[in-house]
Amino acid sequence: MIPILSRAEMRAFDAHAIGTCKVPSLVLMENAGRGAAETIEREIFDGQVHGKRAVVVCGTGNNGGDGFVVARRLLLRGAVVEAWLVGQSPKTTDCRLNMDAFAGIGGCIVLVAEGGSLKAHESSLAKADVIVDALFGIGLDRAIDEPHASLLALINESQAPKVALDVPSGMNADTGAVMGAYVRAKLTVSFGHLKLGHVTPRGARACGAVHVVDIGVPRSTSAVHSADLVDASDVRAVLTPRPVDSHKYRAGHVAVLAGSPGKIGAAALCAKGALRGGAGAATIVTWPEAASALESRAVEIMTARIADGSDLASQIDAALVGKRALVIGPGFGLGDGARIAVNHVLSSFPGTIVADADALTLHARAIEQFAAARGRAILTPHASELGRLLGITSEEVEADRFLAARTAAVRANAVVVLKGAHTIVAAPDGRMVVNSSGNPVLATAGSGDVLAGLVGACACILHPFEAAWCAVYLHGAVGDAWKKTRGDRGMLASDIAEGLPETMASVVAPAHMRGRWHADVGERTHVEG
């Protein structure tokens, strides 16, 4: 897994590199700027940088110092470079030294007075082939106001691709939230590590493609980090081949407590996701009318009937005998019978429980009730559902997805899968992982039902936390495979289920067939080295 750091953790990493590893800050800055310049040359100019026009917009702090390194490196490669200093003078020694070094080799420095007219600078941006944003770094924790807001607006108006250093100016490095004005980057070069804000839906839109470059200190020196990015190698490590003597019950029997009249599709998709995801058998446990409708739809899926009444709990217990994992909620309904059924299995079922859809809605503002499962539950909410569980708005969830997921996992004593672009999986012990697969093609009705079934299948062979992130990655990888050949729309939920076997096979492909790219939402995240 690839570490993802908060702003405070990255500062601690830099301090450790300087104080313990004895790597001077000036060397770290040089390595960062060199890596950024090489990335720009490769990704923006396709290796042909000579004669290209670059405007590097530098602040007065260390992010500006990184920018002056980039400016010097591009100039040495034959680019026509104009470096702007926004402010009166550098505020850090390293920024000043690199500004002087750029000027010393003949670099052109333009002083942009804060609050002064920007009219004189418009032509430079209009002629630029790339604009490098080195104005603010990860330390920004306030809204962008004037005069910087007008400068960022001017940068965004240019047709040239924008490259941000570490994070786009105006984006919160911890949450991905944009703070007023912000640079809309095509590419972001992150130094040393991914930052939390890079792997959020809002942050991904601001950052574009994210490339992480080496700054000359082993990543292993970072012992403390908030989350990890999951990629195919992590799934490969836990998705081991089946033993030769496997049979359907060793593979795992998943029960799906779901479906109701008019809502049988959710239950069917869930069961199909479980079977295509590797479960040996799937049984939908549901109300009699729904069971009758389901029995004609899929011959591979079994059904078991339950009916409202005083013996509902005993009916459910009988239906769940021998089941290794249980998915509850998709299309199950919100009536008293559904509430009784869900609460009963939370406290009685001995295997892993995947709670989705109606099972989550039934516990609005009562997330602690999932603690009855004693750590065996996996909750799979989107932002609106998690907001209802926590008693906050979906906007508040999206404002800090990491905090919301972590809080929910602790309060529920359960694994929480906060769905969305860069799905977060949080465990009650504080572990968090972020998914690297998936794209907007998965925004289709029933996609979450298939995921719930897939989580149930993985839970038959893995611990809840591993089952959750493994399933989320595979689900997203199916969408990535579709997008490569068919674009970012038109996929049906049933297509996701049908694509799972091929995707799982590709995850365990021979080493020479494996890529190094991590799929992002509409973009890509790449880690150098």
Side-chain angles (χ1 to χ4, degrees), residues 3 41 133 137 152 172 177 179 181 230 265 340 406 419 439 495 503:
E41 181 175 1
D133 165 28
L152 299 192
N172 187 294
M179 299 175 289
V230 173
I340 291 169
R406 183 168 55 243
K419 295 184 292 192
N439 65 80
D495 294 326
T503 293

Side-chain angles (χ1 to χ4, degrees), residues 20-43:
T20 303
C21 300
K22 306 302 181 184
V23 180
S25 60
L26 199 62
V27 173
L28 297 177
M29 186 173 286
E30 182 68 24
N31 290 338
R34 181 182 64 246
E38 290 171 351
T39 303
I40 292 168
E41 181 175 1
R42 183 182 65 246
E43 298 298 322

Side-chain angles (χ1 to χ4, degrees), residues 381-434:
H382 51 62
S384 294
E385 289 169 331
L386 187 58
R388 289 194 292 270
L389 286 170
L390 295 174
I392 59 178
T393 65
S394 61
E395 288 76 16
E396 289 174 296
V397 171
E398 292 290 3
D400 194 338
R401 287 169 58 84
F402 292 99
L403 176 62
R406 183 168 55 243
T407 300
V410 171
R411 288 177 58 181
N413 188 28
V415 172
V416 172
V417 177
L418 177 52
K419 295 184 292 192
H422 288 303
T423 292
I424 296 170
V425 182
D429 62 7
R431 289 176 294 166
M432 284 196 298
V433 300
V434 182

Side-chain angles (χ1 to χ4, degrees), residues 71-121:
R72 173 164 46 85
R73 290 283 177 173
L74 291 177
L75 184 64
L76 290 171
R77 297 293 291 167
V80 179
V81 184
E82 191 174 287
W84 296 5
L85 177 66
V86 182
Q88 292 184 345
S89 62
K91 295 180 180 178
T92 70
T93 300
D94 289 351
C95 182
R96 174 169 292 282
L97 288 171
N98 276 300
M99 183 183 74
D100 291 344
F102 174 66
I105 65 167
C108 173
I109 296 177
V110 176
L111 298 180
V112 180
E114 295 181 334
S117 173
L118 297 173
K119 190 71 176 176
H121 307 296

